[in-house]
Amino acid sequence: MADERPEVDDRDPADAVAQMVAHVLRLAETWGAWDGRPLPAEDRVYTPHKAIRRVADHMIDHLAQLEAHVAGAEPLLDRWHGSFMTTPADLAPFTPEDLDEARSRLERLAQLWRLRLAATPPEELDREEGDAYTPREMAFCVVGSTYYANAVGELRSVQHSP
């Protein structure tokens, strides 16, 4: 696992994940105004579709890690291409239908996180196994997915006067 541990705070981890999803979707509501140019962030570029893909992938990745932790199994190796790759699909316009799909996808993933965390005994949330993240750290790492959506930011269409 990475040398840096995710920052955690006193929020319920499931609430923190749900708040992250709500933040991402609030920003995504403005992405219909995207002009088609990838937006630079550090050494990468982001688009609305790429941000949604990365948030969902991050949620899936750590949820699979959490399930393996709870089951006492080895998690699968991470083979995501991550933020380094921008696919042709990432460059597509972000439509109202895309927002609806993103809403369905991310809200369902947030529900899965809530259900899994509710079924995890409180004493398990901070149990360490080697250098792997604890379940609480997994959830708060997912909360860091706001980075991807913040890289796109809030977009408003430019209003031209007649």
Side-chain angles (χ1 to χ4, degrees):
M1 209 40 64
D3 290 335
E4 292 183 32
R5 312 289 291 190
E7 277 189 43
V8 301
D9 58 41
D10 60 354
R11 288 178 291 169
D12 174 89
D15 288 345
V17 169
Q19 290 164 5
M20 178 274 297
V21 166
H23 172 77
V24 168
L25 292 174
R26 270 191 306 277
L27 289 176
E29 288 174 357
T30 71
W31 292 349
W34 181 56
D35 66 8
R37 290 180 292 188
L39 300 153
E42 297 179 23
D43 63 341
R44 301 184 184 157
V45 296
Y46 290 91
T47 68
H49 283 289
K50 184 175 180 177
I52 295 296
R53 175 174 60 82
R54 290 304 306 137
V55 171
D57 290 354
H58 204 196
M59 292 178 80
I60 291 166
D61 185 41
H62 284 300
L63 186 58
Q65 182 186 17
L66 178 54
E67 288 296 330
H69 175 89
V70 169
E74 282 295 314
L76 294 176
L77 291 177
D78 176 354
R79 295 192 319 242
W80 299 110
H81 292 285
S83 311
F84 293 108
M85 180 174 67
T86 302
T87 70
D90 292 336
L91 298 170
F94 195 78
T95 67
E97 294 80 12
D98 293 315
L99 175 60
D100 191 46
E101 291 291 311
R103 203 177 268 124
S104 294
R105 185 175 298 113
L106 297 182
E107 287 174 349
R108 280 178 173 76
L109 283 167
Q111 181 186 38
L112 289 172
W113 269 95
R114 181 170 299 287
L115 295 170
R116 166 36 66 207
L117 289 168
T120 303
E123 63 275 7
E124 278 290 305
L125 288 177
D126 298 305
R127 184 171 63 83
E128 294 183 13
E129 287 186 5
D131 64 347
Y133 292 169
T134 67
R136 185 182 312 276
E137 288 173 327
M138 291 175 208
F140 277 91
C141 187
V142 164
V143 170
S145 294
T146 56
Y147 173 86
Y148 306 118
N150 290 343
V152 175
E154 183 175 336
L155 304 176
R156 297 288 178 200
S157 57
V158 177
Q159 299 296 323
H160 298 284
S161 48

